[in-house]
């Protein structure tokens, strides 16, 4: 199993930007599809973005499409989430995920990070 550590969360005003990072341990990072999920207070954990093992394919939730960009650097065992034009409704704990696969409308994740808080003030 891969270990994941997120960083980069914080407080930002609406319209601002943040970049989250997720550092992974283990030699097999480059073989995994990676993703970001988020969980707002009182809500379920929702999918945000997915990136293939090579970085050549990405997929986003409709709510963040055009504002967020997922990327990865396999040489650094790190995946990123660039978040622009942030809105109050983006406020949540953001979780990095490894070995992310979609089965129908459900997502399978083999490893989760501990999460990082993103708060957007309006």
């Amino acid at each position: 199993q891969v270990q994941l550590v997120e960083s980069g969360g914080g407080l930002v005003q609406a319209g601002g930007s943040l970049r989250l990072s997720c550092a992974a341990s283990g030699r097999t990072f480059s073989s995994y599809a990676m993703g970001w999920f988020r969980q707002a207070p009182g809500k379920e954990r929702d999918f945000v973005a997915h990136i293939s093992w090579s970085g050549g394919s990405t997929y986003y939730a409709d709510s963040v499409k055009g504002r967020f960009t997922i990327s990865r650097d396999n040489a650094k065992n790190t995946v990123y989430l660039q978040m622009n034009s942030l809105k109050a409704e983006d406020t949540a704990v953001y979780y990095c995920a490894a070995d992310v696969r979609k089965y129908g409308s459900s997502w399978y994740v083999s490893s989760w990070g501990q999460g990082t808080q993103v708060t957007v003030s309006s």
Side-chain angles (χ1 to χ4, degrees):
Q1 239 182 357
V2 62
Q3 305 296 318
L4 305 171
V5 179
E6 301 100 331
S7 60
L11 174 64
V12 63
Q13 288 189 332
S17 298
L18 280 176
R19 188 174 86 152
L20 305 183
S21 298
C22 173
S25 64
R27 302 178 187 176
T28 56
F29 172 80
S30 61
S31 67
Y32 291 140
M34 299 291 293
W36 290 93
F37 291 72
R38 68 185 181 186
Q39 188 167 18
K43 296 189 176 181
E44 293 185 349
R45 191 172 298 187
D46 290 331
F47 167 77
V48 174
H50 173 277
I51 188 166
S52 63
W53 66 270
S54 67
S57 175
T58 58
Y59 178 71
Y60 298 93
D62 288 343
S63 58
V64 306
K65 203 172 295 182
R67 299 188 299 122
F68 290 10
T69 302
I70 188 171
S71 61
R72 67 189 297 162
D73 185 338
N74 286 343
K76 295 182 178 179
N77 277 16
T78 302
V79 63
Y80 305 96
L81 186 68
Q82 177 67 44
M83 306 185 293
N84 299 329
S85 302
L86 283 160
K87 306 175 181 179
E89 51 263 43
D90 294 318
T91 295
V93 177
Y94 283 72
Y95 296 90
C96 180
D99 191 15
V100 182
R101 310 179 196 182
K102 195 169 191 289
Y103 295 100
S105 60
S106 299
W107 291 94
Y108 166 84
V109 172
S110 68
S111 297
W112 294 99
Q114 84 286 353
T116 185
Q117 176 70 47
V118 171
T119 303
V120 184
S121 63
S122 57

